[in-house]
Amino acid sequence: MDRNSQTSAVNAQRWPTPRARPLALACLLAAAPLTLCAQDDAPRELDQPVMARMLRSGDAKTPSLLLTKSGPQPLDTHEAILDLRITYTVSNIWNPQHNRFDKVKLRSYQSPGTDPSVPFVAPTIVTSPGETVRVRLDNALPPEQCGSSGINVPHCFNSTNLHSHGLWVSPTGNSDNVLLTLRPGVKFEYEYNLPADHPAGTFWYHPHLHGSTALQVSSGMAGALLVRGNRLPSAHRNGDLDTLLRDPGGTPYPERVLLFQQVAYACRGAPTPTDPLGKIKTDPATGAWVCNPDDVGGLEAYDQFGFTADGKNLWNVSGRYTSINGEVLPTFFGLVAGRAERWRLLHAGVRNTINLQLRAVRAGAASIEGLSGTALDGWVTQNCTGPLLPQFEVAADGLSHAQAIEKGENILQPGYRSDALVVFPQGGRYCVIDGAAPPGGSITNAAEDRQLLGLANVAAGSAPPVNDIRAYLTQNLITSAKYLMPEDIRAKVVADLSDRLRLNAFVPHKDITAGEVTGKQELVFDIDTKAVPLEYKVNGKSYDPNSARDLVLGNIEEWTLTSKVGAHPFHIHVNPFQVVSILNPQGVEVSVTGEPGDSQYANTQGTWKDTLFVKPNYKLFVRTRYERYIGEYVLHCHILDHEDQGMMQNVRMLVPDGKGGGIGNAHH
């Protein structure tokens, strides 16, 4: 079997062809006859994001030939090509407030094979270490006149670029270069050369042009980027977790990519001289955003992000729902009790925290049809009554843990990824919910409303109920390790798994010890709340494309991350970092046990990440190695409207003498 056929066969195991979609959530829970179910309720089964149709070397459409003495022979250059077009798309988004679809017109990615009925989620890119991924990006958005109010005023909403979030690749040229600007009408080919030692894991891609990032990402312009690995561990090197997460026969665990998005569309009234876009339509009683049946919602201004004049979080006020893979309130099918699955969770939203919880539905639960807001919260409180189902996180931000972390609450901040092993103990219906954010733990520093994200229908299967999920999962992994791991490492892997699900043989980076550290860096997020408009700052300054933090290739440094005002997810491009310590305002270490009512920092000590939530007046210490790549890139807050308004800083990685690095990128 050739390489492309192998890829297709493996993908078929993880992404089955879409089945005819069953009746929707409200119909499944209703006691009324099925004939009474609304037609619009029907098509919301949770499907996987469509797989990107990528041309690889040797495909009939991209023949690659090498001239030899015996004639032309195929040349496997380990390259994959994806065509990605950006344009306006008109489609529908389900609105539970009114039990109907809202018509919307949003910027979106289009690609061969994209499902036109679910356009606001990008196709999933699948690649492997050592492969070159070429993305032929076509900005087909209409021409625009950009404003000139300043670099940190949102602008140029039809201009764009592309970021491969979390990939360890070059930040310069036509690689992961977010300092490029692609105006409407421009076509450009990105080239991501993944090194042969690139970690396997869950990454993602999205636009990253300063000034338009939040608006484009919140329109649904984001997709999963999966790096699959087949490197077995040995006595001399660590391997890919993918090689363990299989049954004893070698079949990979079933996977689910769950891309969480917060599409902040709104419908507007007639334009006026003082408000050219028109005022957002709202419900007079609740303040929630409304769209009439003949309206077309959109996302064209930054008054759809942030807070109201009286300090309320606009996303919470809007009444919009977090979608999963482009669907609102979908139903999960294909689940079987007692079967371990790998859930790849990606927070591709702009600012609001997601607290993913799984609970069994109470027997005899009433229909949720017609419920929203506090009424839907009440339904969750009354009917999602089972104990929290444990999720065993084996990787964060695409990087495998040294030990599986058991979580009842999986708190995801914007930019986070979590690979979790999930086992449903018995058949039935389960709630998939965004639990109430812990006090002080959400980005808004206020508790979010509880919202139902969807329901999971779990078939009973033939096995008896699983009473101890940890023990069950441990035994399954040990059995697989005995069959699949090489002889020289097998006993160690089994011993590690027996010791609280340790995964030492699969961690992609070595720990950074205090003795290796060659320098220190400090980063402080801040918001000047007295300025009009607000000023968003890193180390006392708003973003300046002509200024940068100079770092030197080969150094190993410890960073201190703090925030004076508000909480912010810190993200840095290219090189990930290892969490060393997290101290609360009283100086108490919280990276091991977490805090009462807030579990998000628990068990983070020693983990590797590329995005980390910084709560106000906390001190977070992380260490990082500057490896392989020179050039200019960025660090920023991953509340993307904060980034667009100045909470970003350029980084210049210099050659080892610290005097230069061939940097010449221009932002605009």
Side-chain angles (χ1 to χ4, degrees), residues 24-26 38 40-41 44 92-103 263 265 283 288-291 315 318-324 326-330 367-377 450-454:
L25 189 64
D40 278 348
D41 267 353
R44 291 203 313 283
N92 300 306
I93 295 178
W94 179 252
N95 185 345
Q97 288 188 21
H98 302 109
N99 285 313
R100 66 168 183 256
F101 287 99
D102 285 338
K103 189 175 182 179
V263 180
Y265 68 92
D283 182 325
W289 298 352
V290 295
C291 290
W315 175 259
S318 73
R320 299 289 177 250
Y321 282 73
T322 298
S323 61
I324 308 177
E327 296 280 10
V328 173
L329 288 182
S367 169
I368 65 164
E369 187 172 4
L371 301 183
S372 64
T374 56
L376 188 54
D377 277 353
R450 269 175 135 182
Q451 289 189 334
L452 186 69
L453 296 173

Side-chain angles (χ1 to χ4, degrees), residues 244 476-486 490 493-494 497:
L244 176 67
N476 279 5
L477 290 171
I478 288 174
T479 301
S480 294
K482 289 178 178 178
Y483 278 91
L484 302 175
M485 293 296 105
R490 186 179 305 148
V493 172
V494 169
L497 290 169

Side-chain angles (χ1 to χ4, degrees), residues 395-600:
D397 293 355
L399 304 170
S400 299
H401 290 324
Q403 181 178 4
I405 300 171
E406 182 175 347
K407 295 184 173 185
E409 300 178 326
N410 200 338
I411 299 176
L412 305 172
Q413 304 292 357
Y416 276 28
R417 286 92 67 215
S418 171
D419 283 47
L421 301 183
V422 174
V423 178
F424 288 91
Q426 59 188 15
R429 296 192 181 100
Y430 291 78
C431 297
V432 182
I433 59 178
D434 179 1
S442 79
I443 289 169
T444 62
N445 283 324
E448 297 175 11
D449 291 337
R450 269 175 135 182
Q451 289 189 334
L452 186 69
L453 296 173
L455 282 192
N457 275 12
V458 181
S462 57
V466 178
N467 295 318
D468 186 335
I469 294 177
R470 171 179 280 274
Y472 181 82
L473 189 58
T474 300
Q475 188 55 54
N476 279 5
L477 290 171
I478 288 174
T479 301
S480 294
K482 289 178 178 178
Y483 278 91
L484 302 175
M485 293 296 105
E487 187 175 353
D488 65 344
I489 196 73
R490 186 179 305 148
K492 180 180 183 304
V493 172
V494 169
D496 282 348
L497 290 169
S498 301
D499 180 16
R500 298 163 295 159
L501 284 173
R502 299 197 67 82
L503 301 165
N504 296 299
F506 305 96
V507 179
H509 301 293
K510 293 181 180 179
D511 289 344
I512 301 176
T513 64
E516 296 177 78
V517 174
T518 60
K520 304 282 187 178
Q521 295 288 327
E522 183 174 317
L523 179 138
V524 181
F525 288 125
D526 194 13
I527 304 174
D528 186 344
T529 57
K530 296 180 180 179
V532 181
L534 300 179
E535 293 182 359
Y536 297 85
K537 300 180 178 182
V538 176
N539 286 14
K541 296 181 179 180
S542 294
Y543 179 64
D544 177 359
N546 300 309
S547 177
R549 179 190 299 251
D550 285 343
L551 305 173
V552 177
L553 190 70
N555 283 357
I556 301 171
E557 296 195 312
E558 182 170 286
W559 290 57
T560 303
L561 312 175
T562 59
S563 173
K564 291 183 177 179
V565 177
H568 309 275
F570 165 77
H571 173 54
I572 188 168
H573 294 199
V574 185
N575 294 297
F577 50 81
Q578 187 175 31
V579 177
V580 176
S581 177
I582 300 176
L583 304 180
N584 71 11
Q586 290 72 45
V588 177
E589 175 65 62
V590 297
S591 67
V592 179
T593 60
E595 302 174 273
D598 187 354
S599 63
Q600 67 178 311

Side-chain angles (χ1 to χ4, degrees), residues 353-409:
T353 307
I354 293 171
N355 181 355
L356 186 70
Q357 301 176 6
L358 304 171
R359 294 180 183 270
V361 176
R362 178 181 62 84
S367 169
I368 65 164
E369 187 172 4
L371 301 183
S372 64
T374 56
L376 188 54
D377 277 353
W379 188 94
V380 171
T381 301
Q382 295 169 20
N383 298 299
C384 300
T385 54
L388 286 170
L389 188 70
Q391 306 165 51
F392 289 85
E393 186 182 77
V394 293
D397 293 355
L399 304 170
S400 299
H401 290 324
Q403 181 178 4
I405 300 171
E406 182 175 347
K407 295 184 173 185
E409 300 178 326

Side-chain angles (χ1 to χ4, degrees), residues 16 76 79 116 131 144 181 223 228 268 456 515:
D76 187 354
E79 293 193 352
E131 184 169 65
E144 63 183 349
T181 299
R228 298 201 187 281
R268 294 178 178 268

Side-chain angles (χ1 to χ4, degrees), residues 136 237 312 411 473 516 621:
R136 299 190 294 211
R237 73 170 192 186
K312 295 178 181 177
I411 299 176
L473 189 58
E516 296 177 78
F621 300 91

